[in-house]
Amino acid sequence: RGITDAALGIRLADLGALDDAAAVLSRLSDQSFAGISPLGDVFRLPVLASLAELSVKVGDERRAESILGLLRAWEGHNVQLSLAEDRGPVTYFIGMLERALGRSDDAIIHLETSLAQVADAHLHRLACEVRIEFAAALVDAGAPDRAAALVAEARTFAQSRGLDDLARRCERVG
């Protein structure tokens, strides 16, 4: 329960329909996240990871804090939606939430760990996404020079693969 709704919320946010996306987040997180897959369900972690992304996109810090608390139990694990879709390490989503909550130092630690994990696994698109988030956290922490190298790597990859969405995200860092 909730995985398709969470994905819909992310897409709505990507399209700029932030009020509709926030309504999806609200519905799924009401009553202590009763609207999502129960503990022990194979989809609980992917739903929480998707809600982490959604809460960041809509700027809902209260829910981001709650989701961060729930995700910490899975730190060290990977978010696997299916055999074909690896969403990456939980540390990526933790770092994303920490950055959104203004905890740049903690975000940097988690995102650096995530980058090493996805790079080792040869998950190139995901490594690009992590580099962008990591670079943004570095900019937030006052380390733009270090961030610039990550953005350059991400931009090179995105442009070489025709991934315009990621190339645009590179331009927004800084």
Side-chain angles (χ1 to χ4, degrees):
R1 261 184 341 185
I3 192 69
T4 53
D5 287 344
L8 173 64
I10 291 168
R11 297 307 160 243
L12 287 167
D14 288 343
L15 293 170
L18 296 180
D19 290 341
D20 292 334
V24 171
L25 177 62
S26 177
R27 186 177 71 252
L28 291 173
S29 61
D30 281 351
Q31 301 166 8
S32 300
F33 297 89
I36 68 170
S37 304
L39 279 173
D41 186 278
V42 69
F43 289 111
R44 185 168 178 90
L45 180 55
V47 171
L48 287 173
S50 296
L51 292 179
E53 185 177 351
L54 181 55
S55 70
V56 169
K57 286 178 183 269
V58 301
D60 190 327
E61 291 185 6
R62 183 177 60 82
R63 288 190 174 93
E65 188 73 56
S66 296
I67 296 163
L68 178 60
L70 293 169
L71 279 177
R72 287 198 190 280
W74 278 289
E75 192 166 345
H77 293 269
N78 220 47
V79 180
Q80 192 76 35
L81 184 57
S82 68
L83 289 175
E85 187 174 356
D86 186 339
R87 299 272 333 264
V90 171
T91 52
Y92 170 55
F93 296 95
I94 289 174
M96 183 188 305
L97 289 166
E98 288 169 334
R99 178 176 172 257
L101 293 168
R103 301 175 193 158
S104 298
D105 292 341
D106 293 332
I108 288 167
I109 291 167
H110 284 105
L111 292 166
E112 190 165 33
T113 299
S114 297
L115 182 56
Q117 291 171 323
V118 297
D120 286 348
H122 304 287
L123 299 169
H124 303 295
R125 181 188 167 97
L126 186 55
C128 183
E129 292 181 35
V130 174
R131 279 186 182 94
I132 295 166
E133 189 70 27
F134 186 14
L138 288 167
V139 168
D140 293 347
D145 293 340
R146 190 170 169 208
L150 289 168
V151 169
E153 288 178 60
R155 183 183 303 111
T156 297
F157 173 80
Q159 290 173 340
S160 73
R161 301 297 194 282
L163 300 170
D164 296 336
D165 61 322
L166 293 180
R168 282 190 299 276
R169 284 180 53 200
C170 288
E171 300 309 318
R172 291 193 298 263
V173 175

